[in-house]
Amino acid sequence: MAAAPRLTESAGAVFAVLAQAGSATRPQLASLAGLSKPTVSAAVAELQGARLAALSGTASSGTGRTAAVYRLGPAAGAVLAVDLGPALTRVRGCALDGTLLAEATGSRAGAADAVREALGALPAGAPLRGVVVAVGDVAERQGAGMRPATAKAGPVFDAMAVALPPGVPVHLENNVNCAALAELHEGAARGRRTFGYLRIGVGVGLGIVIGGRVVRGANGAAGELARLPYPWDEGREPRLEALEDYMGARSLLRRAAGAWRDGDGPCPRTTERLFALAAQGLEPARAVVARHAADVGRLAAAVVAVLDPGLIVLGGGTGADPQLLPGVRAELARLSWPTEVVSSTLGELGTVVGAARLAVARGVQNVTEASRP
């Protein structure tokens, strides 16, 4: 990775606002950065000299005058976002202004190949300023790097990491937190600063956003609903991650198998097929989905009791299906106070979209931190 040039503080500030704006004139940069026009002119010249900014054209004002318009230069570089999902690996490469440059999808086992494909599609010579990897786990710091805290995601992360260029900063983030970040800025929670993103699929998880920020907790484990004590009943001992076992896709399919009758046709082997049959009106499928909706509503009620978020966004392989909404809303209304519940608008892309947004922010920081003493 090419090291970012050392910038003056004002050049670092102008670079950050230019990355956020995408393109801007010097007066616009002065207004956005809160700097004087002469200071911005000097900063832009510094950025152009380092190829971190470039002239992209001119714009006319209402008085007939024209002003130079600037964008990020070729040395600004790019970032990579990797979603190590339970079945698929999704990769996005972005410029530091958020422009999508590359996409790749592969199997979970082929994560390294998907990363190589995306890296190969980035502009030639563009320095890689950072990588964000979304994992279904808590991330912990080890020495100068990060890795998943448990054995669930560790081997897949290690297999993927061999495809990354040496020396590039790599940040791990929980996949549900990434999806919550995407819903905040581009999805169902846009315009809301406090909400809970409840993911139900192969596993369960909660992304907590308060005041426009994702809450990670003291150990990075905020929202790890799999660790909620379950079952919690007289004469029954809670088991580790028993709630995730009960709520996850495998148990949902087992319940469907138990409810299926000889005359109902082939029992669904995937949750997608189960929900499709429910949408077609097949009674045992509808009953299983209705029970699942009530279970999700009870979990949502637990979230509301602790956080009072005002909004719950349902996501994940089963959670985002709109067939769940009526049952979830009804059960939540029965057990808790009024809370809006909506389905995710980003679906399975939410995690990589959020990881890309985080990667862009960290990439800009990696360039501008050279301007700090």
Side-chain angles (χ1 to χ4, degrees):
M1 181 191 71
R6 185 166 183 82
L7 300 173
T8 61
E9 185 175 353
S10 56
V14 170
F15 180 85
V17 297
L18 182 58
Q20 187 171 20
S23 64
T25 63
R26 279 181 290 184
Q28 289 170 334
L29 291 170
S31 176
L32 291 169
L35 299 172
S36 69
K37 291 181 180 179
T39 299
V40 167
S41 293
V44 168
E46 181 182 346
L47 294 173
Q48 284 184 286
R51 301 177 68 239
L52 292 172
L55 187 65
S56 66
T58 58
S60 299
S61 67
T63 62
R65 294 182 178 181
T66 60
V69 178
Y70 298 90
R71 56 173 172 77
L72 295 184
V79 293
L80 209 64
V82 183
D83 171 19
L84 293 178
L88 294 178
T89 297
R90 294 182 173 88
V91 187
R92 285 192 171 193
C94 295
L96 296 196
D97 62 1
T99 301
L100 181 63
L101 301 174
E103 282 188 292
T105 303
S107 67
R108 183 173 170 88
D113 292 334
V115 168
R116 292 188 186 98
E117 180 183 343
L119 286 171
L122 295 178
L128 192 61
R129 299 299 185 189
V131 179
V132 168
V133 182
V135 295
D137 198 358
V138 176
E140 67 177 4
R141 186 165 296 280
Q142 290 188 352
M146 299 182 75
R147 63 171 290 103
T150 71
K152 285 195 296 185
V156 178
F157 171 76
D158 292 339
M160 178 278 305
V162 301
L164 297 176
V168 176
V170 178
H171 175 80
L172 268 66
E173 184 57 82
N174 179 267
N175 57 357
V176 180
N177 287 346
C178 288
L181 186 66
E183 296 290 347
L184 170 66
H185 291 284
E186 303 175 46
R190 187 160 36 185
R192 307 287 287 266
R193 293 180 56 79
T194 298
F195 68 97
Y197 171 79
L198 183 56
R199 171 174 282 187
I200 310 292
V202 174
V204 297
L206 176 69
I208 305 167
V209 177
I210 296 179
R213 292 180 175 272
V214 174
V215 177
R216 293 174 174 84
N219 299 294
E224 287 292 308
L225 296 181
R227 298 299 178 94
L228 282 175
Y230 180 87
W232 198 352
D233 197 3
E234 187 174 346
R236 303 174 71 191
E237 284 292 323
R239 293 182 293 104
L240 182 64
E241 298 189 349
L243 178 63
E244 185 167 73
D245 289 342
Y246 174 76
M247 295 290 295
R250 292 186 184 90
S251 290
L252 179 61
L253 291 174
R254 283 197 297 269
R255 287 193 287 277
W260 228 250
R261 301 166 303 201
D262 291 339
D264 294 327
C267 183
R269 294 179 177 273
T270 66
T271 55
E272 291 82 4
R273 181 61 179 160
L274 173 64
F275 276 78
L277 291 173
Q280 294 169 17
L282 189 63
E283 181 51 37
R286 291 183 61 187
V288 171
V289 168
R291 169 65 185 275
H292 193 53
D295 288 336
V296 174
R298 291 164 189 170
L299 186 56
V303 170
V304 170
V306 176
L307 296 178
D308 186 21
L311 171 68
I312 296 286
V313 178
L314 297 178
T318 60
D321 193 295
Q323 292 181 79
L324 290 184
L325 271 179
V328 173
R329 288 169 172 166
E331 190 69 1
L332 178 57
R334 184 179 76 85
L335 295 173
S336 192
W337 45 84
T339 301
E340 186 180 359
V341 183
V342 299
S343 298
S344 165
T345 58
L346 297 174
E348 292 300 306
L349 290 178
T351 295
V352 75
V353 169
R357 175 173 285 274
L358 181 59
V360 166
R362 295 186 72 88
V364 171
Q365 180 183 349
N366 289 338
V367 173
T368 59
E369 68 184 5
S371 64
R372 298 171 189 165

